[in-house]
C-alpha cells in the first residue's frame, strides 16, 4: 500500500527493480545481453557502467528524503510512515 501511494508522488523509472514487485534482474540482464550482441554485430564500441545502490539510504540524509516527499506532495500518512522508518533506521546506526 505504501509503495502504491509513494509511486504517485515519486514515479519510478521503468528499469527500477529494487523494492518493487517485478521479474527481478532477469529482464534487465536480457536487455543488457541484447545491447551487447547488437554492439558486437555492428562492430560498435560499447561502454557499460554498473551502479551498486546497496546502502543507498545510508548516504542520503533523512532530511533530504523527507524534503523530497514534501516537495512531491506525498500524502500525510505515507510521509509519516516514511519519516518514522527513516528516523528509526538512523537511530539504529547510533
Amino acid at each position: 500500500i505504501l509503495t502504491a501511494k509513494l509511486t504517485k508522488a515519486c514515479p519510478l523509472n521503468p528499469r527500477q527493480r529494487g523494492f518493487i514487485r517485478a521479474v527481478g534482474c532477469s529482464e534487465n540482464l536480457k536487455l543488457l545481453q541484447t545491447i551487447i550482441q547488437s554492439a558486437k554485430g555492428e562492430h560498435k564500441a560499447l561502454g557499460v557502467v554498473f551502479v551498486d545502490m546497496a546502502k543507498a539510504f545510508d548516504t542520503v540524509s533523512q532530511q533530504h528524503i523527507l524534503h523530497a516527499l514534501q516537495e512531491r506532495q506525498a500524502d500525510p500518512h505515507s510521509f509519516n510512515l516514511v519519516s518514522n522508518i527513516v528516523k528509526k533506521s538512523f537511530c539504529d546506526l547510533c
Side-chain angles (χ1 to χ4, degrees):
I1 294 171
L2 182 59
T3 300
K5 288 184 176 187
L6 288 176
T7 301
K8 290 178 185 176
C10 305
L12 298 174
N13 183 291
R15 303 268 35 109
Q16 170 74 26
R17 290 295 175 252
F19 309 107
I20 62 170
R21 288 185 185 164
V23 178
C25 294
S26 61
E27 186 178 329
N28 285 348
L29 290 173
K30 182 63 177 170
L31 176 62
L32 177 61
Q33 183 181 32
T34 302
I35 292 169
I36 292 170
Q37 288 173 343
S38 176
K40 282 183 176 181
E42 297 174 18
H43 302 287
K44 290 185 175 181
L46 176 66
V48 178
V49 175
F50 292 94
V51 179
D52 183 1
M53 297 304 288
K55 295 195 162 243
F57 288 110
D58 290 352
T59 60
V60 178
S61 79
Q62 60 181 337
Q63 288 306 111
H64 182 77
I65 293 169
L66 298 177
H67 179 73
L69 289 174
Q70 285 176 328
E71 287 287 314
R72 294 184 178 255
Q73 300 176 343
D75 67 278
H77 183 70
S78 297
F79 178 85
N80 288 334
L81 283 172
V82 171
S83 178
N84 288 333
I85 291 168
V86 170
K87 288 177 183 174
K88 182 179 180 343
S89 296
F90 180 76
C91 290
D92 287 346
L93 297 173
C94 300

